[in-house]
Amino acid sequence: MGIAESKGILLFSKNHKEKDKLVKIFTESAGKQMFYVKGAHRKNNPLAPALLPYTEAVYIGKFNSEGLSFLNAAKNIHAYRNIQADIFLAGYATYMMNLVDAAIEDHVYDPNLFHFLEQALMMLDQGNDGEILTNIFEIQLLQRFGITINWQKCAVCGETQGKFDYSSTYSGVLCERHWDKDPHRYHADPIAIHFIRMFSQISYEHIQSIELKSETKALIRQTIDALYEEYVGVNLKSKTFIDQMGKWETVFQTPDKTTNVSHNE
C-alpha cells in the first residue's frame, strides 16, 4: 500500500530503541495500526504533538495490511486537553481505549467503533460523567466481543415494563413474573438492570445529562463487572486503576452531586 492518510485516535505508544517509538493508532479507514516512528524522540520533531496520549489527528504514512505501518506526518491535531490534565478522566479514557484494543483485531476496518470511541472521548473531555460514559461504552461494546444480549424485553413473555433481572441461561432479561425460570439469574438490583437496559441502546449524542447517585453507580458497576467476568474475561490494568480511583475521589473531590440520567428519545 502506498502513502495514505486517515483520521485516527492514539491508543498507546512505547519507546523503541533509543530515539524511536512504536505507536498504536485506531484509524478510521484502516482499523488499528501499529506504526513505527523513526526519530520520535528527536528534539523539535514535528510529529511530537500528534504522539501525545489522548490525541486525535489525521495521520499520514504507509498503512500496511499486516505487520508494522510507518508514520510520516500528521495534521489537524486535536488534543483532548482536559483528559490529558486530569488523572481521573485519563483513567476512564485509557480503559475505553484498552477495551477497543482487546475487542477487535488489528487492521480490521470498523468505522462505527471508531466513531463510538471518538464520541465517548469527546464527551469525557467536555466534563460528562466518566463512570456513566464508561458503563455505556462497556455495555455496547459487548457485541464486538461476540456477545449478543436481549436487553429490551423479557426472554420468556416479551414484557418490556417493570422490574427485570439478567439470566445467562436465556442470554437476556427476565421480568419479575419469570424470575423463577432461572434460579441462577444474577439477582442484580432492578435499578442497575433498568439503567443497563437504557445504556444498551442510548446514543451518546442524545444524552443531555448523565449523573447518578454513587449508590446507583456502584450497583451498575457490580452488574457490568459480573457480565465482563462471565463473557469477556479480559484483565486490564486500566480497569484495576479505575476501580481504585473511587477511593482517591473521596480525598481529592468534593462529595455528592445529586443527579439524573436524562436523554432525548
mmCIF file of all heavy atoms in Angstrom, residues 16-41:
data_model
loop_
_atom_site.group_PDB
_atom_site.id
_atom_site.type_symbol
_atom_site.label_atom_id
_atom_site.label_comp_id
_atom_site.label_asym_id
_atom_site.label_seq_id
_atom_site.Cartn_x
_atom_site.Cartn_y
_atom_site.Cartn_z
ATOM 1 N N HIS A 16 11.029 2.586 21.475
ATOM 2 C CA HIS A 16 11.694 1.521 20.725
ATOM 3 C C HIS A 16 13.115 1.982 20.424
ATOM 4 O O HIS A 16 13.308 3.023 19.783
ATOM 5 C CB HIS A 16 10.938 1.238 19.424
ATOM 6 C CG HIS A 16 11.539 0.121 18.615
ATOM 7 N ND1 HIS A 16 11.448 -1.199 18.985
ATOM 8 C CD2 HIS A 16 12.240 0.147 17.449
ATOM 9 C CE1 HIS A 16 12.061 -1.953 18.087
ATOM 10 N NE2 HIS A 16 12.552 -1.154 17.140
ATOM 11 N N LYS A 17 14.068 1.222 20.925
ATOM 12 C CA LYS A 17 15.466 1.628 20.833
ATOM 13 C C LYS A 17 15.635 2.964 21.552
ATOM 14 O O LYS A 17 14.888 3.307 22.461
ATOM 15 C CB LYS A 17 15.938 1.655 19.382
ATOM 16 C CG LYS A 17 15.853 0.289 18.709
ATOM 17 C CD LYS A 17 16.383 0.334 17.297
ATOM 18 C CE LYS A 17 16.318 -1.056 16.666
ATOM 19 N NZ LYS A 17 16.763 -1.061 15.274
ATOM 20 N N GLU A 18 16.597 3.770 21.119
ATOM 21 C CA GLU A 18 16.902 4.986 21.868
ATOM 22 C C GLU A 18 16.051 6.176 21.448
ATOM 23 O O GLU A 18 15.602 6.964 22.285
ATOM 24 C CB GLU A 18 18.391 5.337 21.697
ATOM 25 C CG GLU A 18 18.844 6.469 22.613
ATOM 26 C CD GLU A 18 20.338 6.742 22.499
ATOM 27 O OE1 GLU A 18 21.071 5.858 22.028
ATOM 28 O OE2 GLU A 18 20.746 7.843 22.891
ATOM 29 N N LYS A 19 15.760 6.304 20.159
ATOM 30 C CA LYS A 19 15.099 7.511 19.669
ATOM 31 C C LYS A 19 13.772 7.256 18.967
ATOM 32 O O LYS A 19 13.100 8.200 18.564
ATOM 33 C CB LYS A 19 16.031 8.247 18.702
ATOM 34 C CG LYS A 19 17.304 8.773 19.358
ATOM 35 C CD LYS A 19 18.133 9.567 18.359
ATOM 36 C CE LYS A 19 19.383 10.136 19.029
ATOM 37 N NZ LYS A 19 20.224 10.903 18.075
ATOM 38 N N ASP A 20 13.396 5.996 18.824
ATOM 39 C CA ASP A 20 12.213 5.675 18.031
ATOM 40 C C ASP A 20 11.038 5.283 18.930
ATOM 41 O O ASP A 20 11.180 5.101 20.133
ATOM 42 C CB ASP A 20 12.523 4.527 17.068
ATOM 43 C CG ASP A 20 13.754 4.817 16.210
ATOM 44 O OD1 ASP A 20 14.047 6.012 15.982
ATOM 45 O OD2 ASP A 20 14.418 3.856 15.791
ATOM 46 N N LYS A 21 9.870 5.157 18.316
ATOM 47 C CA LYS A 21 8.670 4.749 19.044
ATOM 48 C C LYS A 21 7.853 3.780 18.204
ATOM 49 O O LYS A 21 7.856 3.842 16.977
ATOM 50 C CB LYS A 21 7.782 5.972 19.370
ATOM 51 C CG LYS A 21 8.086 6.664 20.676
ATOM 52 C CD LYS A 21 7.019 7.701 20.994
ATOM 53 C CE LYS A 21 7.249 8.308 22.373
ATOM 54 N NZ LYS A 21 6.174 9.254 22.743
ATOM 55 N N LEU A 22 7.128 2.907 18.893
ATOM 56 C CA LEU A 22 6.042 2.148 18.293
ATOM 57 C C LEU A 22 4.742 2.737 18.820
ATOM 58 O O LEU A 22 4.557 2.864 20.029
ATOM 59 C CB LEU A 22 6.145 0.671 18.657
ATOM 60 C CG LEU A 22 7.347 -0.077 18.074
ATOM 61 C CD1 LEU A 22 7.414 -1.489 18.649
ATOM 62 C CD2 LEU A 22 7.277 -0.128 16.558
ATOM 63 N N VAL A 23 3.855 3.112 17.913
ATOM 64 C CA VAL A 23 2.638 3.826 18.277
ATOM 65 C C VAL A 23 1.442 3.095 17.693
ATOM 66 O O VAL A 23 1.383 2.871 16.473
ATOM 67 C CB VAL A 23 2.670 5.280 17.749
ATOM 68 C CG1 VAL A 23 1.414 6.024 18.168
ATOM 69 C CG2 VAL A 23 3.911 6.010 18.227
ATOM 70 N N LYS A 24 0.489 2.703 18.545
ATOM 71 C CA LYS A 24 -0.736 2.090 18.035
ATOM 72 C C LYS A 24 -1.812 3.154 17.901
ATOM 73 O O LYS A 24 -2.125 3.869 18.853
ATOM 74 C CB LYS A 24 -1.216 0.956 18.940
ATOM 75 C CG LYS A 24 -2.506 0.301 18.422
ATOM 76 C CD LYS A 24 -2.799 -1.043 19.057
ATOM 77 C CE LYS A 24 -2.075 -2.160 18.349
ATOM 78 N NZ LYS A 24 -2.567 -3.503 18.791
ATOM 79 N N ILE A 25 -2.367 3.238 16.700
ATOM 80 C CA ILE A 25 -3.388 4.237 16.380
ATOM 81 C C ILE A 25 -4.607 3.521 15.813
ATOM 82 O O ILE A 25 -4.480 2.656 14.932
ATOM 83 C CB ILE A 25 -2.855 5.269 15.360
ATOM 84 C CG1 ILE A 25 -1.683 6.045 15.968
ATOM 85 C CG2 ILE A 25 -3.963 6.223 14.917
ATOM 86 C CD1 ILE A 25 -0.936 6.915 14.975
ATOM 87 N N PHE A 26 -5.772 3.846 16.330
ATOM 88 C CA PHE A 26 -7.031 3.340 15.780
ATOM 89 C C PHE A 26 -7.446 4.305 14.682
ATOM 90 O O PHE A 26 -7.867 5.427 14.949
ATOM 91 C CB PHE A 26 -8.082 3.267 16.879
ATOM 92 C CG PHE A 26 -9.377 2.607 16.467
ATOM 93 C CD1 PHE A 26 -9.475 1.811 15.344
ATOM 94 C CD2 PHE A 26 -10.519 2.773 17.241
ATOM 95 C CE1 PHE A 26 -10.656 1.201 14.979
ATOM 96 C CE2 PHE A 26 -11.717 2.168 16.902
ATOM 97 C CZ PHE A 26 -11.784 1.374 15.763
ATOM 98 N N THR A 27 -7.303 3.879 13.433
ATOM 99 C CA THR A 27 -7.616 4.754 12.307
ATOM 100 C C THR A 27 -9.043 4.517 11.829
ATOM 101 O O THR A 27 -9.569 3.400 11.917
ATOM 102 C CB THR A 27 -6.642 4.539 11.135
ATOM 103 O OG1 THR A 27 -6.898 3.263 10.533
ATOM 104 C CG2 THR A 27 -5.186 4.601 11.606
ATOM 105 N N GLU A 28 -9.628 5.564 11.306
ATOM 106 C CA GLU A 28 -10.998 5.465 10.808
ATOM 107 C C GLU A 28 -11.079 4.580 9.569
ATOM 108 O O GLU A 28 -12.037 3.825 9.397
ATOM 109 C CB GLU A 28 -11.520 6.869 10.485
ATOM 110 C CG GLU A 28 -12.946 6.927 10.007
ATOM 111 C CD GLU A 28 -13.395 8.346 9.729
ATOM 112 O OE1 GLU A 28 -12.535 9.218 9.485
ATOM 113 O OE2 GLU A 28 -14.614 8.581 9.750
ATOM 114 N N SER A 29 -10.070 4.636 8.708
ATOM 115 C CA SER A 29 -10.160 3.966 7.410
ATOM 116 C C SER A 29 -9.424 2.633 7.323
ATOM 117 O O SER A 29 -9.632 1.878 6.374
ATOM 118 C CB SER A 29 -9.621 4.895 6.313
ATOM 119 O OG SER A 29 -8.240 5.148 6.513
ATOM 120 N N ALA A 30 -8.566 2.318 8.309
ATOM 121 C CA ALA A 30 -7.772 1.088 8.200
ATOM 122 C C ALA A 30 -7.681 0.329 9.522
ATOM 123 O O ALA A 30 -6.784 -0.505 9.694
ATOM 124 C CB ALA A 30 -6.377 1.407 7.674
ATOM 125 N N GLY A 31 -8.581 0.610 10.459
ATOM 126 C CA GLY A 31 -8.572 -0.097 11.726
ATOM 127 C C GLY A 31 -7.355 0.243 12.575
ATOM 128 O O GLY A 31 -6.719 1.286 12.396
ATOM 129 N N LYS A 32 -7.033 -0.637 13.505
ATOM 130 C CA LYS A 32 -5.889 -0.400 14.382
ATOM 131 C C LYS A 32 -4.605 -0.711 13.628
ATOM 132 O O LYS A 32 -4.489 -1.752 12.991
ATOM 133 C CB LYS A 32 -5.973 -1.275 15.631
ATOM 134 C CG LYS A 32 -7.162 -0.988 16.535
ATOM 135 C CD LYS A 32 -7.096 -1.858 17.786
ATOM 136 C CE LYS A 32 -7.122 -3.332 17.418
ATOM 137 N NZ LYS A 32 -6.726 -4.216 18.506
ATOM 138 N N GLN A 33 -3.650 0.206 13.733
ATOM 139 C CA GLN A 33 -2.367 0.039 13.064
ATOM 140 C C GLN A 33 -1.252 0.318 14.063
ATOM 141 O O GLN A 33 -1.318 1.282 14.828
ATOM 142 C CB GLN A 33 -2.233 1.039 11.902
ATOM 143 C CG GLN A 33 -3.279 0.892 10.806
ATOM 144 C CD GLN A 33 -2.878 -0.132 9.766
ATOM 145 O OE1 GLN A 33 -1.698 -0.363 9.512
ATOM 146 N NE2 GLN A 33 -3.864 -0.766 9.159
ATOM 147 N N MET A 34 -0.231 -0.533 14.047
ATOM 148 C CA MET A 34 0.968 -0.257 14.834
ATOM 149 C C MET A 34 1.986 0.421 13.915
ATOM 150 O O MET A 34 2.424 -0.158 12.926
ATOM 151 C CB MET A 34 1.553 -1.539 15.414
ATOM 152 C CG MET A 34 2.762 -1.296 16.318
ATOM 153 S SD MET A 34 2.343 -0.480 17.885
ATOM 154 C CE MET A 34 1.864 -1.907 18.865
ATOM 155 N N PHE A 35 2.316 1.657 14.248
ATOM 156 C CA PHE A 35 3.238 2.456 13.422
ATOM 157 C C PHE A 35 4.626 2.498 14.044
ATOM 158 O O PHE A 35 4.775 2.667 15.256
ATOM 159 C CB PHE A 35 2.729 3.894 13.286
ATOM 160 C CG PHE A 35 1.490 4.034 12.437
ATOM 161 C CD1 PHE A 35 0.222 3.981 13.016
ATOM 162 C CD2 PHE A 35 1.587 4.234 11.075
ATOM 163 C CE1 PHE A 35 -0.912 4.123 12.249
ATOM 164 C CE2 PHE A 35 0.451 4.381 10.288
ATOM 165 C CZ PHE A 35 -0.797 4.324 10.884
ATOM 166 N N TYR A 36 5.602 2.385 13.181
ATOM 167 C CA TYR A 36 6.991 2.628 13.583
ATOM 168 C C TYR A 36 7.303 4.086 13.278
ATOM 169 O O TYR A 36 7.108 4.554 12.158
ATOM 170 C CB TYR A 36 7.928 1.711 12.793
ATOM 171 C CG TYR A 36 9.387 1.896 13.112
ATOM 172 C CD1 TYR A 36 9.938 1.343 14.267
ATOM 173 C CD2 TYR A 36 10.227 2.619 12.266
ATOM 174 C CE1 TYR A 36 11.284 1.492 14.565
ATOM 175 C CE2 TYR A 36 11.568 2.788 12.557
ATOM 176 C CZ TYR A 36 12.088 2.216 13.705
ATOM 177 O OH TYR A 36 13.420 2.364 13.996
ATOM 178 N N VAL A 37 7.761 4.819 14.294
ATOM 179 C CA VAL A 37 8.060 6.246 14.127
ATOM 180 C C VAL A 37 9.544 6.451 14.387
ATOM 181 O O VAL A 37 9.999 6.415 15.535
ATOM 182 C CB VAL A 37 7.213 7.120 15.085
ATOM 183 C CG1 VAL A 37 7.436 8.597 14.771
ATOM 184 C CG2 VAL A 37 5.734 6.764 14.973
ATOM 185 N N LYS A 38 10.272 6.641 13.333
ATOM 186 C CA LYS A 38 11.723 6.808 13.446
ATOM 187 C C LYS A 38 12.041 8.205 13.961
ATOM 188 O O LYS A 38 11.447 9.189 13.531
ATOM 189 C CB LYS A 38 12.381 6.589 12.081
ATOM 190 C CG LYS A 38 13.900 6.512 12.127
ATOM 191 C CD LYS A 38 14.459 6.075 10.791
ATOM 192 C CE LYS A 38 15.989 6.030 10.816
ATOM 193 N NZ LYS A 38 16.507 5.068 11.792
ATOM 194 N N GLY A 39 12.955 8.284 14.910
ATOM 195 C CA GLY A 39 13.386 9.575 15.437
ATOM 196 C C GLY A 39 12.318 10.301 16.231
ATOM 197 O O GLY A 39 12.332 11.529 16.323
ATOM 198 N N ALA A 40 11.386 9.548 16.835
ATOM 199 C CA ALA A 40 10.269 10.181 17.552
ATOM 200 C C ALA A 40 10.747 11.047 18.706
ATOM 201 O O ALA A 40 10.071 12.012 19.086
ATOM 202 C CB ALA A 40 9.311 9.113 18.070
ATOM 203 N N HIS A 41 11.912 10.728 19.289
ATOM 204 C CA HIS A 41 12.410 11.475 20.446
ATOM 205 C C HIS A 41 13.361 12.606 20.062
ATOM 206 O O HIS A 41 13.904 13.271 20.950
ATOM 207 C CB HIS A 41 13.121 10.520 21.411
ATOM 208 C CG HIS A 41 12.196 9.518 22.042
ATOM 209 N ND1 HIS A 41 11.214 9.853 22.945
ATOM 210 C CD2 HIS A 41 12.093 8.171 21.880
ATOM 211 C CE1 HIS A 41 10.557 8.774 23.314
ATOM 212 N NE2 HIS A 41 11.069 7.735 22.682
#
